[in-house]
Amino acid sequence: MRARVTAATAVLLLAALTACGGGDDDKPVEKPGTTAPGEPTSSGDPTGGGEPSGGGSTGAPEGGEGLALGKAAQTAGDGGTGVLEITPDTIVFVKEGSGETAENGVFAVVTMKDKAMTAVAADEPAPISGGGWTWMAPDGEMIGWDSGNSPNVTLDKYSGADPVQPGGYQWRAQVFDLTPAQAKGGTLIYIDGENKAHRWQMPSTDSGPNVAEVKKQLAP
């Protein structure tokens, strides 16, 4: 009689232990392909967004590394036609030029050589199209070609404005009417015919092989 009672007790104890489930089998099983909140996904993006999608162009110009004065850039011609090799080669800072006085303190006069590199004529895009030249001051302010009295400053030798014919080149110039602070260490930016930005870091003092000639051209 005592043996049957002992056996029954053992069975009851075993059933109780099984119901308690003291092992690791009770942990919830994660579904494949899911992660716990806050953990990075397989792409390494902690937001779970993965790689950014390759959307279309936003219409903003592409960026470009800054070149030094005297370095050439291959640029798309107006409307994407042809290729212009543009080389800003000289910069001069003057308070007066062509009989005009800088409204903001100083004219930054930059001359450049535009050379056609393909079998078709190429030209710089007109500013009205959103292309052309801009001066970016050290603090990021953008100054256009028509700043202050700059449109009234002309240089006969550097007045090229027609499409450059295949195999040919033209000398051109850009003038910006700047404050002294804007003129110190600015960046010259050119937006070409395919909306791509080309940048040149500008010195803060007269520089380049044609300084004397440019100053002569600026004399009244």
Side-chain angles (χ1 to χ4, degrees):
M1 180 68 177
R2 179 174 294 179
R4 286 196 297 271
V5 171
T6 301
T9 301
V11 171
L12 290 174
L13 288 173
L14 179 60
L17 288 173
T18 302
C20 290
D24 294 337
D25 294 336
D26 288 335
K27 290 183 178 181
V29 179
E30 294 183 2
K31 296 181 181 179
T34 62
T35 56
E39 293 183 0
T41 63
S42 59
S43 68
D45 179 6
T47 65
E51 296 293 333
S53 60
S57 172
T58 62
E62 298 177 14
E65 294 297 328
L67 299 171
L69 183 71
K71 296 297 183 180
Q74 303 292 310
T75 73
D78 187 22
T81 300
V83 174
L84 278 179
E85 180 184 81
I86 298 181
T87 311
D89 75 332
T90 297
I91 185 168
V92 170
F93 298 95
V94 293
K95 294 182 179 180
E96 297 181 354
S98 302
E100 297 288 334
T101 300
E103 180 179 308
N104 298 313
V106 60
F107 290 123
V109 182
V110 186
T111 62
M112 61 277 300
K113 181 180 181 180
D114 285 13
K115 182 178 180 181
M117 303 300 291
T118 57
V120 295
D123 198 5
E124 295 183 4
I128 194 172
S129 69
W133 299 91
T134 307
W135 181 278
M136 185 171 73
D139 67 354
E141 182 178 359
M142 308 294 286
I143 298 96
W145 62 273
D146 57 350
S147 52
N149 289 328
S150 60
N152 300 322
V153 178
T154 59
L155 300 86
D156 290 341
K157 178 180 176 179
Y158 301 94
S159 60
D162 297 323
V164 184
Q165 297 302 312
Y169 68 88
Q170 289 182 5
W171 289 103
R172 302 190 180 196
Q174 290 293 319
V175 183
F176 304 93
D177 192 335
L178 309 172
T179 67
Q182 291 169 341
K184 293 181 179 179
T187 302
L188 185 68
I189 301 177
Y190 173 71
I191 307 300
D192 70 10
E194 291 183 345
N195 205 35
K196 181 178 179 180
H198 305 270
R199 301 165 181 258
W200 290 265
Q201 298 302 316
M202 292 289 101
S204 299
T205 58
D206 297 351
S207 303
N210 300 315
V211 169
E213 183 179 29
V214 171
K215 286 187 174 182
K216 184 179 179 179
Q217 293 272 324
L218 290 169

